[in-house]
Amino acid sequence: FFDAASEQIFGVIDEFGISPAEMAEVARSGTELEAEKVVIVPVNMGTHIIGSLATDPAKLSRAVRESVASLLAINYERAAALDRATAAEAARRNEEFKSSLLDALAHDLKTPLTAIRTCVTRLVTIPPRTEEVRQELLSIIDHESVRLEATITEAVELARIESRSLRLEKERIEVHELAEAAVAAVRDEATERYRFRVDAGLILEADRELMRRALTQVIENARKYSPPASIIEVESFAEGGQLVLRVLDRGPGIAAEELDRVFDKFYRGKRTKDKVEGTGMGLSIARGIVEAHGGSIHAERRPDGGTAIVIQMPKALA
């Protein structure tokens, strides 16, 4: 792969008998180059050429080559987004912190949009020759659309919370129904990994939709930072006149000095910020909703590894 921005080649080209200049020319002109042992194609991000890709035509069909080029473009942009996120973290300690956060959020919106546009452009201008390639591009569009929607929803919810414009429509809610609705909203196909331990008859007086969103944010956070096959537990019980909701995971855990900071808006843990996608808004949203109901939320380190997020709410009278 020839990266036009850095003018670097990643991989070995000697065995193909081509030169860096030829790869650079394809990236510059956007014109495919075919030789006896190699095919060089431009790699596009939307309408912008970011580089070129050289492959062995005897090993990769045209359909597979086009799919690889499309996925390469999307992951190239994601890698660039991670670099920008790292730069934003470095700027948090100076006066540029606020503008850097806004820039990072803008890129969290732009990255899925760019991926969607790339796939749509590919579908329209160069219709895929196989149904498999078409379905792969549509799957990327669907995934990135969901990601974009989630980012926008989180930003709007956080703005509402900070402007104190939340209007609570309280009602009596059975806690086990709330927990099941929150897990369903996560849209994780591995439903068997979620375990419920909710005392019978527990009733919470709260805004049903807002509390469902708060609990969903906590469960989604546990899902993102936990190994795929690990168990996530949702438990609830009455204690000292309060109703306690806990979400327990087997992820990497949170450093002791970060237990409070993870609820700050845009803050992401040092251990995982470069490994897991996210905006750092989820737990901040959950805290805002819980505190609007007169409750509290905090994080605990589990003795045998992982994290427990604990929500304490006023218990509804029987």
Side-chain angles (χ1 to χ4, degrees):
F1 170 64
F2 172 76
D3 176 12
S6 64
E7 297 187 348
Q8 285 185 287
I9 291 180
F10 299 90
V12 180
I13 63 171
D14 295 341
E15 63 188 83
F16 292 118
I18 58 174
S19 66
E22 288 174 305
M23 295 200 69
E25 175 59 23
V26 171
R28 186 195 66 77
S29 66
T31 303
E32 182 177 309
L33 173 65
E34 287 193 46
E36 184 180 350
K37 295 181 179 180
V38 68
V39 174
I40 308 176
V41 297
V43 178
N44 300 290
M45 177 58 70
T47 58
H48 176 61
I49 300 176
I50 62 170
S52 59
L53 178 69
T55 61
D56 184 343
K59 296 180 180 179
L60 292 181
S61 67
R62 176 175 289 274
V64 174
R65 187 162 59 246
E66 290 171 352
S67 294
V68 171
S70 295
L71 293 172
L72 178 60
I74 291 168
N75 282 284
Y76 178 93
E77 175 61 22
R78 285 180 175 169
L82 284 175
D83 289 341
R84 290 190 292 264
T86 300
E89 180 65 20
R92 78 163 26 255
R93 296 172 185 170
N94 60 37
E95 296 177 356
E96 299 175 3
F97 174 54
K98 191 170 184 179
S99 62
S100 296
L101 285 177
L102 292 174
D103 184 58
L105 179 57
H107 284 299
D108 281 326
L109 297 172
K110 183 179 178 181
T111 299
L113 272 175
T114 304
I116 292 167
R117 184 179 178 186
T118 297
C119 292
V120 171
T121 301
R122 168 78 174 81
L123 286 166
V124 173
T125 59
I126 315 174
R129 290 175 171 78
T130 66
E131 182 62 21
E132 182 180 0
V133 174
R134 178 176 173 275
Q135 289 299 325
E136 184 176 9
L137 291 171
L138 290 174
S139 177
I140 292 171
I141 291 171
D142 178 65
H143 173 78
E144 298 295 340
S145 297
V146 170
R147 182 179 164 204
L148 178 62
E149 181 183 25
T151 300
I152 293 172
T153 300
E154 286 183 346
V156 171
E157 287 183 342
L158 191 57
R160 287 180 60 203
I161 290 169
E162 293 192 331
S163 67
R164 302 187 182 277
S165 63
L166 286 181
R167 294 183 179 180
L168 304 182
E169 298 181 5
K170 292 185 177 182
E171 59 180 294
R172 292 171 65 85
I173 310 166
E174 293 191 19
V175 176
H176 76 88
E177 290 183 2
L178 176 68
E180 290 174 355
V183 168
V186 172
R187 301 204 303 180
D188 188 347
E189 294 181 0
T191 55
E192 68 281 355
R193 71 185 299 198
Y194 297 94
R195 305 287 172 81
F196 296 94
R197 291 202 304 270
V198 179
D199 288 354
L202 282 181
I203 301 294
L204 177 65
E205 190 168 328
D207 185 299
R208 182 184 298 272
E209 179 59 19
L210 287 176
M211 279 306 301
R212 195 273 304 161
R213 290 183 190 177
L215 189 55
T216 296
Q217 292 284 7
V218 174
I219 296 171
E220 172 65 17
N221 201 69
R223 182 196 67 79
K224 286 197 300 185
Y225 291 97
S226 299
S230 65
I231 300 300
I232 295 174
E233 299 173 88
V234 182
E235 63 180 27
S236 185
F237 50 88
E239 182 179 74
Q242 290 187 313
L243 187 147
V244 180
L245 269 163
R246 298 207 309 165
V247 176
L248 305 100
D249 65 54
R250 290 298 182 192
I254 301 172
E257 66 273 15
E258 295 183 299
L259 288 174
D260 292 329
R261 296 196 66 190
V262 293
F263 296 96
D264 294 342
K265 64 179 179 180
F266 303 119
Y267 186 81
R268 304 189 66 210
K270 295 178 181 178
R271 296 179 184 177
T272 54
K273 64 182 178 182
D274 295 331
K275 300 177 183 178
V276 182
E277 293 180 351
T279 60
M281 290 189 285
L283 291 181
S284 181
I285 290 169
R287 181 179 65 178
I289 292 173
V290 168
E291 291 181 349
H293 283 81
S296 64
I297 184 171
H298 67 274
E300 297 176 352
R301 292 161 56 88
R302 300 182 70 183
D304 45 357
T307 301
I309 301 295
V310 183
I311 299 173
Q312 295 173 292
M313 298 286 291
K315 185 174 179 292
L317 298 175

